Amino acid sequence: MSVDKFTFNRENKSFDFLERGTGGAGWGTSVPIDALVPTHCAFCGVQCGMYLEVSQGRIVGVEPRDHPINKERLCPKGVVAYQQVNHPDRLRTPLIRRNGRLVKATWDEALDLVVGKIQEIQRTHGNDAMAVYGGSSITTEKAYLMGKFARVGLRTRYVDYNGRLCMVSAAAANLRAYGIDRLANPFSDIAETDCILTVGTNIAETFPVMIQYLWRARDRGAKLIVVDPRQTTTARTADIHLAVRPGSDPALLNSILHVIVKDGLIDQEFIDTRTRDFDKVRQAVEQYPPERAAQICDVPVEKIVETARMWARAPRAMILHARGLEHHITGTDGCLAVANILLATGKIGKPGCGGGTITGQGNGQGGREHGQKCDQLPGQRSINDPEARKYVAEVWGIPVEEMPPAGVSIVEMIPLMEQGAIRGMISLCNNSMVSLPNLNWIEPALKKLELYVVVDFFLSEVAAATATVVLPGSTWAEDEGVVANIEARCVKINKAVDPPPGARHDREIICEIARRLGRGQYFQFPTPRDVFDELRLASKGGNADWYGISYEKIESLGGVFWPCPTPESPGTPRLYEKRFYHSDGRAVFYPIEYRPPAEVPDPEYPYWLTTGRVVYHYLSGNQTRRLGFLSEESPEPWVEIHTERAAALGLQTGQRVRVRTRRGEVILPALVVRTIRPDTLFIPYHWGPPVAANLLTNPALDPISKIPEFKACAATIEAV
Ligand code: SF4
């Protein structure tokens, strides 16, 4: 679902998805516009180009922009994103928790408290008693700053970011298979392909403007195969829909490769010249004939065979995946199984061939590259690599001995908070009381912190429930910087207005805390460009090399795909055309064995529960749930249940039902549908307690990527 400027009736604040043109005032406005500021939408990883309309220092509207990414299209979130900037809920003063309540404070009171408490905690319990938790919906400059602030400002090992709850399984698999963590292709390759296999992603709903590329391929006759437990809006248009049992995807993917090998559809020359270790995978997939996978996945044998042949016989083919594949204890395995298929068929590194993960967060391919991850330094370097530590320490001007070691993921920090090993945390742009799993476990751990500083521009659920200090920060429209979209195309966010009185730029807040801690010499960043220049240098020579990117180059080229190692380089829209990123230039096959989810249905909890997104909301909903049109269209979560099971339980659409797991319960309206597996329930996750889907989910982790198993656990449902 996407709209262009002719289908948005600005005067009536309503959408018309069927007719072009609205008559009357239409898109026009009587407010005199002083400036049209080119920028990009902040509400997903597509990063559609837009103009913000500014009148007398206020943002009053939006115009779609004819940018190569979106070509004047925006989705419902994009056309109202600007409304958060002047929203009455904006935080305009620091808040300090006193006697259990957040009360207003001056900036000096708040910062004195923050810095004094950090010093007390670290003096008494060591530097690692403080933690930093960043976000991936912020500019890369801020993401870089958060990583450096943790390691240089606080000198703690404990830093992680909320991409940990998004695409990290794909990241781990990418590094193993290809030696670099990035989507292999630009969007334009999707339009050129002949067959698209999607696994665990509802592109039409969650990436509404990106779906245009897929429709263009379909218009040329490309086939579409969708793997999803629900018959989603994307699946409804597919040639083949495989409604797999939640968490069974790796078995299906192994079986698809089994058929491809058996039918002689592999590319032996590509395997011989560009890869390593195929024989291990050949032996592994021998154990996954379609008959076995059909039992594990609960889909027909014929559909597995048809899928393998349709996809492998297509001259050009791609595989795209997202959280439905990745949010499992086998998330990394699933992504490696995808890589095995692409590599075995040689359908990668060529026009219309390849694929990978579709990142949901606004800066999904930039926010994770430059040092917020617990085990990475800028440039997508491993923090365990002595050379990388030495290089980045030099850029930062610290002795290499002072560079902290690797930390742990955010979910692994929770037990450390419970135990008192971590006693303070600073977070930017995340909302843990919606987005982390098993919230009944998370809340007391966060409340145990002696200092929990939340920097945000709205009072999120996590700030309201657990923060000891809240600092009012800036929106994307009040800042400039670079984000990298799903394709790894770096685009420029431009400042349209100043933060409202009382709020401050996030960059200034972090640098000021560092200054008050006596570490200001490492945080001399008067402007975002100063951060970007250091970031470029810190990334130089790494996998995610941004050294050759400049603000001006991005603007003049309509975006620059990283890696871009020199000012002369045009960037790298398509990866792997000549070599992979392991030192020998080859990709690596990894044999995968299917493992069931950590928790499976039983007589007490007989359903699978899975979660996901809706078109009207962005991630934890802290931004979109406040915007009138979006909250009117989607005011509360619901639980989808199949018609057959609803009839057996006597449930009807709209009826309040209780959904329970071993971790908690929620009461929601039922939505009775034919478009979900009868053994599966689905809840969108954009809301906080008491209706949060994540009161129910399982915090079991993928052993490699450390992603929680959001997408499969055992649940029960009953009438209230
Ligand atoms: S939410 Fe995503 S698809 Fe929608 S306008 Fe924004 S960037 Fe584009």
Side-chain angles (χ1 to χ4, degrees), residues 542-574:
N543 264 347
D545 191 334
W546 289 30
Y547 184 67
I549 301 175
S550 68
Y551 285 1
E552 291 71 24
K553 189 168 172 177
I554 290 172
E555 299 281 33
S556 71
L557 296 179
V560 179
F561 292 79
W562 65 263
C564 180
T566 64
E568 298 73 36
S569 166
T572 317
R574 185 181 303 110

Side-chain angles (χ1 to χ4, degrees), residues 8 48 51 118 122 130 145 239 250 252 268 303 309 334 346 378 400 427 445 597 637 669 673 676 711 715:
F8 175 53
C48 296
Y51 292 102
I118 291 172
Q122 292 195 312
M130 282 298 303
L145 196 57
D239 296 283
L252 174 73
Q268 194 63 52
K303 279 197 178 184
R309 290 176 179 161
V400 68
S427 74
V673 297
I676 192 167
K711 292 293 184 279

Side-chain angles (χ1 to χ4, degrees), residues 41-48 73-79 207-210:
C41 173
F43 279 170
C44 88
V46 180
Q47 287 294 323
C48 296
R73 288 184 167 83
L74 295 174
C75 83
K77 290 191 291 294
V79 291
F207 304 98
V209 173
M210 178 185 168

